[in-house]
Amino acid sequence: MFTLSSTPNSDTQPLDLVAAIQDLKQELNAVILAHYYQEPEIQDIADFIGDSLGLSRQAASTNADVIVFAGVHFMAETAKILNPAKQVLIPDLDAGCSLADSCPPDAFAAFKASHPGHLVISYINCTADIKAMSDIICTSSNAVELVRQIPADQPIIFAPDQNLGRYVMAQTGRDMVLWQGSCIVHETFSERKLLELKAAHPAAEIIAHPECEAPILRHADFIGSTTALLNYTQRSNADTFIVATESGILHQMQKQNPNKHYIPAPPTANCACNECPYMRLNTLEKVYWAMKRRSPEVTVPELTRLAALKPIQRMLDMSR
Ligand code: 13P
Ligand code: SF4
């Protein structure tokens, strides 16, 4: 049983957190959306677990009054942009994203101004301010599909992830101007250690998220978003997978197919750097307190929200 480690009143009985969260869900008419990179116990109480596209679709279609977003800030912000009348709660307001931080609005505005006539396609891992300056938002599961729909003579800026941008360029044959951002987690993997691991498990398939750098991606048997990686492990005949993305995804892989083996791809340093330090700020206890206190709440200024909504809506309309 998960219980509170501290309560405001020291004489309070231990609280069954899972039961208390279920009660609050009824009371608030709340839905809990969780990304695959969340701690296993958070994934296990979520109403929906998904990748960024799946979570955006859920956020766009939910009937709940309150959305509890167990993920990072830009994800909760996207939910708020899609649902201005709903309250969007996040367990920890400091759950940011190195990729979103790598693209400050002022610098990006100047970058955009220096490339007139370019269509701006931004990865959903960016702030509402960057979305508001974009023409189309994409996620790792639809970036290739969306870029293929853009007329060949239309110049494109792709922001903020340079690794995903390069992967999309390789897949589509399109040249794009790339913002030089990246994710600290997906840049942590060591090619040398990956090859050593593969040599030790020659029958294993390497699967990787497109936020990884090219030296990792070139060894991958399959590349895709977190949902695509999860689905691939189900349909592949392989028995063992070396997984180059945040290790939280292994929980669903193990749950969906416990007879297969999943090995996290090794980071360069001896660290747990394949765990996103932002995603992992969220805990079951913080989910409980966010619902109990209805705080921290994520809000977006209305003018920014309206401008950011258009490219998100375009993405939802353009992707299957
Ligand atoms: P997806 O959810 O699109 O797979 O992206 C992974 C990620 O880095 C989210 O922050
Ligand atoms: Fe951002 Fe990378 Fe963490 Fe995803 S894994 S939230 S891209 S820092």
Side-chain angles (χ1 to χ4, degrees):
M1 179 170 99
F2 293 101
T3 56
L4 279 184
S5 59
S6 63
T7 62
N9 306 313
S10 53
D11 57 339
T12 309
Q13 290 296 309
L15 183 72
D16 178 345
L17 270 180
V18 174
I21 288 170
Q22 300 298 353
D23 288 349
L24 282 167
K25 221 160 67 175
Q26 301 294 323
E27 196 183 304
L28 303 181
N29 186 26
V31 66
I32 302 178
L33 306 182
H35 192 270
Y36 292 120
Y37 296 165
Q38 292 294 282
E39 296 289 348
E41 59 267 24
I42 295 183
Q43 295 188 34
D44 290 346
I45 49 110
D47 296 296
F48 179 82
I49 315 162
D51 68 0
S52 304
L53 181 61
L55 289 165
S56 303
R57 287 194 172 128
Q58 286 293 320
S61 64
T62 183
N63 292 322
D65 296 319
V66 175
I67 298 174
V68 182
F69 214 117
V72 290
H73 193 269
F74 74 80
M75 296 178 171
E77 218 174 37
T78 304
K80 184 66 184 179
I81 290 165
L82 287 161
N83 290 291
K86 297 187 195 298
Q87 186 176 40
V88 177
L89 302 172
I90 188 166
D92 191 318
L93 206 49
D94 289 333
C97 168
S98 67
L99 189 45
D101 290 348
S102 71
C103 194
D106 288 353
F108 188 69
F111 182 74
K112 186 179 161 183
S114 68
H115 295 89
H118 283 58
L119 187 86
V120 179
I121 303 184
S122 294
Y123 188 33
I124 198 162
N125 299 33
C126 64
T127 61
D129 287 327
I130 300 298
K131 289 185 176 77
M133 285 185 249
S134 305
D135 297 299
I136 305 173
I137 298 303
C138 70
T139 74
S140 60
S141 58
N142 60 20
V144 169
E145 177 195 345
L146 297 191
V147 168
R148 284 203 174 115
Q149 294 178 46
I150 307 303
D153 58 353
Q154 170 62 59
I156 298 173
I157 288 176
F158 189 91
D161 188 11
Q162 57 180 309
N163 295 314
L164 177 63
R166 273 191 213 102
Y167 170 72
V168 172
M169 282 165 63
Q171 293 296 303
T172 60
R174 288 291 291 260
D175 197 18
M176 303 193 294
V177 178
L178 302 181
W179 179 265
Q180 301 295 306
S182 58
C183 157
I184 49 168
V185 178
H186 288 88
E187 288 204 326
T188 199
F189 301 113
S190 156
E191 184 186 16
R192 180 183 58 78
K193 288 187 182 176
L194 180 69
L195 293 177
E196 283 170 7
L197 200 55
K198 173 74 181 175
H201 302 272
E205 287 194 327
I206 297 175
I207 59 174
H209 194 280
E211 285 178 27
C212 293
E213 293 174 299
I216 298 295
L217 293 182
R218 73 166 163 255
H219 300 296
D221 297 291
F222 180 79
I223 297 170
S225 75
T226 43
T227 295
L229 295 177
L230 178 62
N231 293 342
Y232 182 76
T233 58
Q234 302 304 301
R235 68 174 185 270
S236 165
N237 291 327
D239 170 71
T240 304
F241 301 89
I242 299 172
V243 185
T245 189
E246 214 271 6
S247 57
I249 185 71
L250 269 66
H251 181 58
Q252 290 305 317
M253 291 175 175
Q254 273 149 356
K255 266 181 105 167
Q256 292 195 13
N257 200 333
N259 296 322
K260 294 189 176 186
H261 306 283
Y262 312 95
I263 309 171
T268 305
N270 289 326
C271 59
C273 313
N274 57 353
E275 287 185 2
C276 174
Y278 307 100
M279 288 275 184
R280 303 300 180 120
L281 282 176
N282 295 331
T283 61
L284 206 56
E285 203 167 312
K286 289 180 190 172
V287 171
Y288 167 76
W289 282 120
M291 294 174 80
K292 181 89 181 151
R293 297 177 174 144
R294 299 188 73 153
S295 170
E297 182 175 359
V298 172
T299 57
V300 182
E302 186 59 6
L303 281 180
T304 309
R305 189 190 75 78
L306 289 172
L309 179 62
K310 283 186 207 157
I312 296 173
Q313 198 55 58
R314 218 166 274 145
M315 166 184 82
L316 295 174
D317 295 342
M318 286 172 76
S319 46
R320 277 176 284 131

